[in-house]
Amino acid sequence: MQHKLRSALSILGIICGTMAVIVMISIGEGARQKVVGQIEQLGIKNIYINTINLTEGQRLKARRNLSSGLNTDDAERIKTGCGYIMDTACLKEVSASLIGVRLQTSPQIVATSSSYASLLNLSLLQGRFISKHDVESQNMICVLGDTVAKNLGNGGKIGGSVRIENNLFKIIGILNRLNHDTEKNSVISARNYNEIIFIPLNSFGNKINISVNRNNNVFENTVNVTEIIAQTSNSKEVVIAGKMIKRIMEVAHNQIDDYQIIIPMELLKQTQKIQQTFTLVLSAIASISLFVGGIGIMNIMLAIVYERTREIGIRRAVGATQSDIVLQFLTESIILTSVGGSAGILTGAIAAGLLSLIAGWETIITLFSILLPFVMSVLIGVFFGLYPAYQAAKMDPVSALRHE
Amino acid sequence: MIELTGVSKQYQIAGNSVSVLKDIDLSIEKGEFLAIMGPSGSGKSTLLHILGCLDRPTAGTYHLEGNNVFDASDKELSGFRASHIGFVFQNFNLIPVLDVFENVELPFLYSHFKNQADFIRRSDLNGKLNSNRKSDFHAQVEKKQRVMEVIKKVGLSDRLKHKPSELSGGEMQRVAIARAMVMNPKMILADEPTGNLDSKTGHEILELFKIFHNAGGTVIMITHDIEVASNAEKCLQMRDGRIVNS
C-alpha cells in the first residue's frame, strides 16, 4: 500500500460504481415509498368506481339505454352482488361554496355516506364522523378538515356552524391532520383531507338546490354520486373483486361506460413497471463502471505482485504455502475494493441527499442500499484479485528470491 | 537426518536442458556444521534450495527425517520449511516495509496452529503452564517472548522498531538469523551469509551460527571464503554439479 495515489486512482471505478448502485436504490426506494404512501391513503383493499363526464352524444346513448349514471343503488348492488366486498361508501362532490367567510383556498365540499371514514382510515381529532342516522334523517351537520377548522378560527370549533349556500351546518367533528402529497401525476390521487368539508349524503340532494342534481331516479331515495368505494376484506382479493364489480356494473348500466373502475393496488404494479426501466438503465451504468473498476483493480494488483516478487519469495522461504500467498493478495485486493466501496457508499449517500434537496426527488437510504454495493465491492475484490493472487502463488520460490 | 541418493536437477533454458546437479549422494547427520565450497555455477545454491525444500530434484530421492520430499505437496514442503528449516541469504532478504520485530515474527504467520502448539510445547521454558490448556492469549504472549528472546540473542534488542533500511549490513544479517532461529528449526541453511559483510562483522555472524550449532542445531553453509569454511566441522567441494570430495 505504498502507492497511495496509484491505489486511489485505481479504485475510482469502484467508487463510481457503488455510488451509482446506492443512488439508484435510494431513488427507486424513495419513489416506491411515495407511491406506496399514496396507494395506502387510497387504501390497498379499496376499489374505486368513478363517474366519467360524458359527451352529449354519449349522454344521449346512455339515456336510451336507461343508464342513469353512478348512484347509491350501484353501491347496494355491489355490496350484495360481490361476496368479497365487505362494505361500500358513496361520495358526491358538491359544487357549493362557503358563505360568509373569507378563506385563502375554498375547501372541497363532499357529501358522503357514514362508512367513508372507516374505509379510508380517517381518524378524528375531535367529535365524531357522520353516522348512519345522520344520513337517514338528513341532519344538517358537517365534519371539517384540519386546515379548514384552523382557518375558520373561533368559528371552526365543535358546536359552531358553517354556512354552505343557504344552509347552516353544525360542526360535529374535526379530522386529524394528514400528510398530503401535492403530486398530481398519477391517475388517481388521494383527496386532500385537510381542505375538506364532509356533509351527510342525503342532506345535499334535498336541502340544497344545485344544478348537478338532475335526478331521473328509478327509486325515490336514490342519489347520484361521483364515487363509490368498495372494500374487500384483504388486499389479495381486490383484483378478482374488481372483475366481479365490472360485471355487475356492466349489467346495471346496460353496457354504458359512464364509470371507470380503479384499483390502487394495480396502479402500484404499473408504477413499479415504469420504475423497472429506470432501474435497468442505472444498473447497466453501475455494472459497466464496476466492471471497468474491477479491471483497474486487477491492473494494480498485477503491478503490486510484480513489485513484491522478492517479498513473495521470502514469505515462501519462511514457510508460506501457495494458499497463504493467494490469501494475502486477495485480502489486499478486497481491502482496496471495500475501501472504494465504502467511499462510493458515502459519496452516493451524499449525492442522494443532494438530489432530494436540489431536485426534490424523494430518496430513501435503506440498509439494503448500503449492504448491496458493499457486498458487490467485496465480490469484485475477490473476482478481480483472484488472477493476480494466483500469479503470485504459482511463482517459483527460488527465482522469486533472486528477483531484483 | 538428511539422505540424498542420486539427486539431479535440470533446468529448461530456451529449449535446452541444462544439468545443474548430477547424481548427488549425500547424507548429513543431525548436529553437523557443514560448509559447501565451489566456484560459481557449480550448483551449490541449487543443492541448498533442494535441501531447504524450496526446490524439488528432477530425479533421485531426498529423505528429510524420513519424509520423501519428491512426493510431498506444496503444503507439506511449506510445513517443513516453517518448522524444520531456517534460511539465511547473502542479500539478507528482509521485507523492507516491516520493522525488525515484525520481520523476525514473520515465520509464526505461516506456522499453522498445530505447529505453533508443537513449538510451544517444545520450547516450554518455564514449564508452569500446561501446553494443552494454553489459550490463544498465552500463545500470543509466548510468541512475543520467543521473538524477543532471539532478537536479544543476536543483540538487537534496541532496534525493535527499526526498518531494515535503517540498519547496517551486519545488523540486517542478525535480523535474518533471528528470523531463521525463531521457530527453533532443526537446521539453518545459509547461502554465503558473510559474502556482503566485512570480515569483522562476518566473524560475529559466524559466532551466532556456532551458538546455534553448539545447542544441537544443524548448519549447512555455502561460502567462497576458506577462512569462513574453516569454522565448519566438514567441508564439501563442488564442481560442475558434482561433489568432488567429502
Side-chain angles (χ1 to χ4, degrees), chain B residues 2-7 24-28 47 50-51 61-63:
Chain B
I2 287 174
E3 205 57 62
L4 270 72
T5 37
V7 163
I24 300 241
D25 295 321
L26 180 65
S27 75
I28 299 168
L47 178 61
I50 287 174
L51 289 176
T61 57
Y62 170 23
H63 287 273

Side-chain angles (χ1 to χ4, degrees), chain A residues 2 310-311 313-325 328 396-398 401-402 404, chain B residues 45 49 54-55 74-75 78 81-82 87 89 91 93-95 97-98 106-107 109-110 112 179:
Chain A
Q2 299 106 301
R310 210 140 81 102
E311 179 190 320
I314 297 168
R315 288 179 186 270
R316 295 278 280 143
V318 300
T321 60
Q322 289 181 325
S323 26
D324 286 330
I325 301 293
Q328 182 194 341
D396 172 36
V398 173
L401 276 168
R402 288 197 182 126
E404 283 309 315
Chain B
S45 293
H49 291 144
L54 266 180
D55 214 345
D74 170 70
K75 210 172 166 180
S78 303
R81 289 199 296 272
F87 277 102
F89 301 94
N91 53 3
N93 274 338
L94 302 176
I95 295 180
V97 291
L98 303 180
L106 195 65
L109 199 61
Y110 303 114
H112 298 285
R179 183 181 65 193

